Amino acid sequence: MNKMKLWTMAAILFCGAMGFTSCHNDNGNKENEQIAEVADESRQGDCEYAIGKYLIDSVAQQYSPGEVSIPCIQVVGIDESNPDSVLVWGDFWVFNYNVAGDTLKMVSGGAHPGMMVVQHTSGAGYAVTAFDPVGDGSEYLPSAKRIFGDKFDAYQAISSDGEKREDVRATQIGYYVKANKLPVKYYQDYGWPAKEIPAE
């Protein structure tokens, strides 16, 4: 099977919905409500689509290639005070898979937390125009504190909750598979048992 660029609008919107319900996230945090202010419904889908597309087109390409790329988006906070330049802080993951029988087998992927700038671009709709990623190794903590600022505690809470992230990931895989009519029932990480892809 050739490398697939199977990323439908429906799948992106659903992944965004699972990751942060709308273009402004509510983690039960009053600070997030103040940061988000009032979201414009017309921009929500554009914002979510842009982030998903960026993770697939730019970030996934940094890894060993697979036939399918699926992001996992968990937003920490958002600033829509400038509707033409939306700032999105999040714990962003992307995974590449190959299709083997009825199973998506993970090839590569990883975490890319940070802050994305989503802007309306001439003739191209909304797109991620800048990404400030958290650094690696000794740069991780200072860069995470700088990027997330007063949202750092919320970021830590999200990034440390592996069970919740796995739930979000599994649900996003399920919708992606359905939206793109992939003939698979399971997904599997290297060295781990296959897991059933949840039904919608």
Side-chain angles (χ1 to χ4, degrees):
M1 183 182 294
N2 294 330
K3 178 169 176 61
M4 292 180 282
K5 288 285 188 176
L6 297 176
W7 190 248
T8 65
M9 174 64 82
I12 290 174
L13 293 180
F14 184 82
C15 286
M18 289 306 303
F20 49 102
T21 3
S22 72
C23 213
H24 68 284
N25 186 40
D26 182 4
N27 291 317
N29 188 330
K30 294 296 184 182
E31 290 180 2
N32 286 345
E33 293 177 9
Q34 293 169 357
I35 292 167
E37 301 200 1
V38 178
D40 182 339
E41 292 286 337
S42 66
R43 289 196 309 275
Q44 291 179 13
D46 295 319
C47 178
E48 294 158 11
Y49 181 88
I51 291 171
K53 189 173 189 304
Y54 177 82
L55 288 169
I56 289 174
D57 292 347
S58 298
V59 179
Q61 309 309 312
Q62 300 172 23
Y63 293 99
S64 297
E67 296 170 330
V68 175
S69 297
I70 305 176
C72 179
I73 301 168
Q74 290 183 283
V75 164
V76 175
I78 186 162
D79 181 353
E80 289 185 297
S81 58
N82 178 354
D84 295 321
S85 186
V86 180
L87 308 181
V88 183
W89 293 264
D91 192 18
F92 307 114
W93 291 69
V94 69
F95 301 95
N96 293 325
Y97 304 87
N98 283 335
V99 178
D102 61 359
T103 304
L104 285 177
K105 291 186 177 281
M106 192 176 79
V107 175
S108 59
H112 294 268
M115 188 272 289
M116 293 193 187
V117 180
V118 181
Q119 293 182 321
H120 189 272
T121 59
S122 176
Y126 280 80
V128 173
T129 57
F131 179 36
D132 188 5
V134 171
D136 295 325
S138 63
E139 292 300 312
Y140 173 80
L141 191 58
S143 63
K145 287 183 175 180
R146 173 184 61 80
I147 292 166
F148 286 96
D150 61 2
K151 294 174 284 299
F152 178 71
D153 288 344
Y155 161 65
Q156 280 195 309
I158 287 174
S159 67
S160 64
D161 191 344
E163 184 175 343
K164 174 63 175 177
R165 179 171 54 252
E166 187 62 20
D167 287 344
V168 171
R169 175 189 172 203
T171 304
Q172 291 179 358
I173 290 171
Y175 196 84
Y176 181 93
V177 165
K178 181 178 180 181
N180 291 287
K181 298 181 171 62
L182 296 184
V184 295
K185 297 179 180 178
Y186 306 95
Y187 70 100
Q188 184 175 22
D189 294 343
Y190 182 78
W192 292 87
K195 297 181 179 180
E196 189 171 1
I197 296 171
E200 185 183 354

